[in-house]
Amino acid sequence: MHDGCILGIETSCDETAAAVVRSGERLLSNVVSSQIATHQPYGGVVPELASREHLRAIVPVVRQALAEAGQSYQSIDAIAVTRGPGLAGALLVGISYAKALAYALGKPLITVNHLEGHIHSVLLEEKQKGDFEIEFPVLALVVSGGHTHLFLAERVSAERARQWRANEGRGRSGEALRSPRREDADHGWKYENIGRTRDDAAGEAYDKVAKLLGLSYPGGPIIDALAKHGDPQSVKFGLSQIKHPNRGTPRDKQTEFDFSFSGIKTAVLRYVQTEKMSSSIESRRRAMGKLSRPKAADVLPLCDQKTLGLIASFQRAVVDDLVEKTLRAARAREARTLFVTGGVAANSELREKFEMRGAQEGLPVYFPSRQLSTDNAAMIAAAAYPKFLAQDFAGADFSAEASWAL
Ligand code: KG4
Ligand code: ZN
């Protein structure tokens, strides 16, 4: 019996990543080659450059992941690759490489949804610690540079999970499938998307606000560090700036758990204009341009109290919205456990607030380590394990799915 030693490959955005995970719970290696330096001058990911960098990095990154895991191409049991969502050209690099490798080695190939990967990064680490019993349903907030989604997740039999995916929650004759019983619980997962962003993802708002204020890319880590030095009450962002606009949306498509982060970005821009902050932003941008890998300690002296207050207030508004909407959804859908994952889950204020509010509401909250919060391939190999057990393998005729829904 193979113990499911899976090589994961992830190239959906700006990290070329490969990892080896055994049985969905033993992290043997986790290699991430970041393209931050390539995209930094543009203040965001440039898709063509991302594909070119993936092409350059994919072979050495996979080699390193196998070597660090003490595995060879022959000793792994399967190859898992991100099929979407993400940048089509970037995804195709990982997919073409994974297909070629699987074909040449005669190993099964498993396709994984990037968002499912983020959810499984939590499980991987909790299972690795041992004694992990979670109560279902789980409500997972996946919050990153490309996504802000709420998924209600259940564990179901592998066969049921396959049917669910194929028929969008309907049985053969169109009837709604029963919700799973505990004794059915096996290896499959099913997800219901109960909230999503209507415009920008939360991480995208961090990146755009950082760019607007002349800070470095990606914006999340630097805003996280600087926010600690500002007064979060100094700028009042109204609820209307983070309320999703329902206007023009058909009634059946409306959901009270949707997010919207483009309004707050515009509000920051307006504040910068009314407070005449443009020239100080320009001088900070010039100073930042001279630093190769700017750290918070380098940037702090370049920010006055007004800027730090704006940064802290922006973060407070985003964090409060994410936490309170997630908790409201958890109450409404009777979730028993919360997962918070994706790049923005690395944010310290978000973690603190979720822990505090989760404890008040009697809800256990789990995060991945900071290393596994942002994009990586360990989460892809871990999410592939249930599919490996169910022999849910891909043929050779699939392609990248830039907007693949989970
Ligand atoms: O999951 P990820 O690596 O890639 C996507 O799938 O998008 O997330 C990257 C995003 C970026 O927008 C980055 O600014 C944000 O996560 N991020 C953070 C923090 N660290 C990364 N946002 C807030 N606070 C952080 N500490
Ligand atoms: Zn991601």
Side-chain angles (χ1 to χ4, degrees):
M1 165 72 185
H2 291 297
D3 53 6
C5 206
I6 299 179
L7 167 69
I9 295 175
E10 152 67 40
T11 64
S12 69
C13 191
D14 60 345
E15 326 272 9
T16 315
V20 180
V21 177
R22 173 172 288 142
S23 312
E25 60 179 55
R26 282 265 143 243
L27 182 62
L28 302 186
S29 66
N30 182 32
V31 179
V32 180
S33 164
S34 169
Q35 304 177 0
I36 285 177
T38 306
H39 302 290
Q40 166 103 44
Y42 307 95
V45 179
V46 183
E48 289 78 6
L49 296 184
S51 309
R52 194 189 67 190
E53 292 302 308
H54 286 311
L55 274 172
R56 226 199 285 270
I58 187 85
V59 173
V61 163
V62 168
R63 258 192 214 139
Q64 190 183 338
L66 288 171
E68 286 181 13
Q71 298 287 323
S72 66
Y73 289 103
Q74 279 71 30
S75 66
I76 51 166
D77 298 312
I79 296 157
V81 65
T82 308
R83 182 176 177 189
L87 302 168
L91 287 162
L92 271 175
V93 177
I95 290 173
S96 313
Y97 183 71
K99 276 186 186 176
L101 206 55
Y103 180 73
L105 299 172
K107 304 280 181 189
L109 182 59
I110 299 165
T111 58
V112 173
N113 184 301
H114 182 81
L115 302 172
E116 184 171 22
H118 275 301
I119 293 171
H120 280 258
S121 66
V122 181
L123 287 163
L124 161 63
E125 290 190 306
E126 291 303 326
K127 285 201 234 158
Q128 188 156 264
K129 288 181 206 156
D131 285 343
F132 184 51
E133 272 290 324
I134 36 171
E135 297 220 34
F136 291 91
V138 169
L139 182 64
L141 170 66
V142 184
V143 60
S144 70
H147 315 279
T148 306
H149 283 290
L150 279 170
F151 291 104
L152 201 66
E154 298 266 14
R155 230 161 80 126
V156 292
S157 76
E159 180 51 32
R160 186 98 67 88
R162 239 195 325 259
Q163 269 184 30
W164 188 274
R165 273 199 299 281
N167 305 321
E168 296 180 337
R170 302 264 144 203
R172 280 219 182 87
S173 46
E175 80 285 5
L177 289 176
R178 261 184 316 120
S179 86
R181 290 169 304 161
R182 253 190 119 59
E183 53 272 32
D184 288 333
D186 185 2
H187 298 296
W189 284 74
K190 90 174 170 63
Y191 308 92
E192 185 188 349
N193 184 204
I194 63 165
R196 69 191 69 78
T197 181
R198 292 292 174 123
D199 38 57
D200 292 351
E204 195 178 351
Y206 268 93
D207 296 338
K208 287 179 175 170
V209 165
K211 190 174 178 184
L212 189 73
L213 297 179
L215 299 168
S216 51
Y217 171 82
I222 195 77
I223 288 182
D224 189 358
L226 294 175
K228 296 181 173 63
H229 301 274
D231 173 10
Q233 312 289 346
S234 62
V235 185
K236 302 271 177 259
F237 291 113
L239 238 193
S240 61
Q241 268 130 12
I242 42 180
K243 210 170 81 183
H244 69 82
N246 255 343
R247 246 174 303 122
T249 313
R251 208 158 246 297
D252 62 334
K253 292 256 158 47
Q254 292 181 9
T255 142
E256 57 178 311
F257 307 125
D258 278 355
F259 299 93
S260 166
F261 295 106
S262 72
I264 193 161
K265 171 197 68 193
T266 315
V268 170
L269 175 63
R270 234 177 269 131
Y271 183 86
V272 161
Q273 287 165 342
T274 24
E275 297 295 318
K276 307 201 178 355
M277 296 165 79
S278 310
S279 64
S280 70
I281 289 173
E282 268 325 301
S283 42
R284 181 163 51 244
R285 204 186 303 282
R286 276 196 300 276
M288 296 284 296
K290 293 186 187 133
L291 303 169
S292 67
R293 285 201 151 236
K295 293 196 187 58
D298 305 321
V299 187
L300 191 56
L302 304 173
C303 300
D304 56 12
Q305 270 310 312
K306 184 173 275 188
T307 306
L308 293 171
L310 176 59
I311 288 170
S313 305
F314 160 78
Q315 172 156 297
R316 176 63 54 87
V318 172
V319 165
D320 280 353
D321 185 57
L322 288 169
V323 173
E324 294 309 324
K325 210 165 274 165
T326 303
L327 286 172
R328 226 166 356 101
R331 276 195 297 272
R333 300 302 300 265
E334 299 181 356
R336 306 289 295 272
T337 307
L338 285 185
F339 284 8
V340 183
T341 180
V344 182
N347 186 269
S348 42
E349 189 174 335
L350 187 79
R351 284 178 179 241
E352 278 162 30
K353 199 149 278 177
F354 258 119
E355 260 157 18
M356 185 188 73
R357 295 285 290 111
Q360 283 170 351
E361 304 258 338
L363 267 175
V365 187
Y366 296 94
F367 305 90
S369 63
R370 273 165 219 264
Q371 197 194 1
L372 289 197
S373 292
T374 47
D375 287 350
N376 64 84
M379 66 185 199
I380 303 303
Y385 184 61
K387 300 178 210 299
F388 174 79
L389 292 177
Q391 302 200 2
D392 188 0
F393 301 139
D397 57 347
F398 70 93
S399 191
E401 296 248 10
S403 351
W404 202 20
L406 177 60

